[in-house]
Amino acid sequence: MNAPAWTGMLPVDDTELYVRDTGGPGRPVVYLNGAYADQKHWKRVIAELGPDYRHITYDERARGKSKRSEDYSFEVCLRDLDAVLKARGVERPLLVGWSYGGILAWHWTDRNPDRVAGAVIVDAFPVGLTGEAGRERIRKLFRRYRLLLPISARLGLGARMSADEHADINIELNEIAADSVPVLGRLTRPVRFVLATGDSLGSEAGEMEEGRKVLDEVLAANPNIKLSAKVPSNHSNVLRNDSPAVAKAVRELTVTRGHAEEDFGKGCS
């Protein structure tokens, strides 16, 4: 089906999400942003993949051009993905998620194995800061940067939220990520990881590299999950500097034999 292009605001619950859909007959790819990022960070990946794909991006609540909400939980983000897919008439998409979006992608894939063709996960891994010490560290970090958050929001790297609201999202995410090894272990759809290198804002020296090593256990246990690339960029710059590696992982899933290849032909309802 040659789906029409569309850009606009999608009403969901008490908010509206800003959605862009390039339309066309290509295979549908839905991009899931980092925790506080807007959709513009995908522009280089989209350019690399070109018109062979139908690209669907959207800003989560209080990010980018989307409206504020009373609920910013992980569960509501999963439901927002459902709302976008329903509104755009998309079945069995390929999900591409960075950071927070990667964790959304593997949880949505786990819950909806018959509704997704596969997932590309960009520098997200099943590790997190947990316990009281972890929660306090996260809260201190966002309080330290509270004056920069409005500027970050204008740059597409922060949400229109308070420092405490930013921290709440991060605390919840860390706890969900830390419990995700069993989720990844049971995924039945094809998944490709693209991992960055080094540390990121708020991490201690070597901490993120140690976290990425936890994926070795997952890769060894689940043949549906593979490492597509380990790139030199850090977590924050991976989409900007290593977009070809992310595009390559998408193409790998496009030609994967078995379920993914069968499902791509059913991409539009």
Side-chain angles (χ1 to χ4, degrees):
M1 175 180 174
N2 195 339
W6 185 82
T7 298
M9 303 300 293
L10 173 66
V12 182
D13 300 334
D14 67 342
T15 188
E16 293 181 41
L17 305 179
Y18 180 65
V19 181
R20 292 177 62 90
D21 180 351
T22 62
R27 293 156 175 155
V29 181
V30 178
Y31 299 86
L32 305 174
N33 307 327
Y36 316 108
D38 65 20
Q39 59 185 274
K40 72 171 178 280
H41 296 276
W42 295 107
K43 63 182 181 181
R44 287 179 173 82
V45 176
I46 291 171
E48 288 281 344
L49 288 169
D52 289 341
Y53 296 84
R54 176 184 173 189
H55 306 282
I56 300 168
T57 56
Y58 66 98
D59 296 330
E60 272 293 356
R61 302 173 182 216
R63 287 82 146 177
K65 296 182 180 180
S66 291
K67 305 297 184 181
R68 295 176 187 261
S69 172
E70 292 297 318
D71 189 350
Y72 300 115
S73 66
F74 190 83
E75 284 297 321
V76 84
C77 289
L78 289 170
R79 295 201 300 272
D80 284 346
L81 174 55
D82 281 319
V84 171
L85 294 178
K86 181 178 179 181
R88 300 309 305 145
V90 176
E91 297 178 355
R92 298 181 180 88
L94 175 62
L95 302 179
V96 184
W98 166 47
S99 191
Y100 186 96
I103 299 170
L104 281 174
W106 75 54
H107 274 272
W108 199 88
T109 298
D110 177 54
R111 297 184 190 191
N112 303 278
D114 295 332
R115 297 175 59 197
V116 61
V120 172
I121 312 297
V122 184
D123 210 41
F125 32 93
V127 175
L129 298 172
T130 59
E132 188 55 40
R135 290 190 287 272
E136 184 57 24
R137 177 177 160 187
I138 292 168
R139 292 199 183 280
K140 284 182 178 179
L141 174 69
F142 282 99
R143 287 169 185 160
R144 186 186 314 149
Y145 290 108
R146 66 188 182 280
L147 298 180
L148 295 176
L149 291 176
I151 299 172
S152 298
R154 289 195 291 272
L155 296 174
L157 293 169
R160 296 187 306 283
M161 302 175 188
S162 68
D164 284 342
E165 287 174 322
H166 277 83
D168 287 342
I169 289 170
N170 201 277
I171 288 168
E172 182 189 36
L173 178 66
N174 272 266
E175 292 173 351
I176 290 169
D179 291 335
S180 285
V181 169
V183 178
L184 289 165
R186 63 177 178 251
L187 293 181
T188 58
R189 311 305 288 171
V191 176
R192 296 292 181 271
F193 274 83
V194 176
L195 296 181
T197 300
D199 298 306
S200 188
L201 181 66
S203 67
E204 297 178 355
E207 190 172 52
M208 293 192 77
E209 283 294 275
E210 286 301 312
R212 293 178 184 109
K213 291 178 183 177
V214 176
L215 278 173
D216 292 343
E217 171 188 344
V218 174
L219 293 168
N222 189 341
N224 297 308
I225 301 177
K226 299 183 184 301
L227 177 63
S228 178
K230 181 81 157 67
V231 298
S233 299
N234 68 19
H235 181 80
S236 299
N237 296 329
V238 61
L239 294 183
R240 182 176 67 204
N241 295 343
D242 285 296
S243 55
V246 179
K248 175 177 174 288
V250 172
R251 293 189 185 100
E252 287 174 3
L253 288 190
T254 304
V255 298
T256 296
R257 299 286 179 182
H259 294 299
E261 190 174 39
E262 294 168 6
D263 289 344
F264 270 127
K266 307 170 185 176
C268 304
S269 63

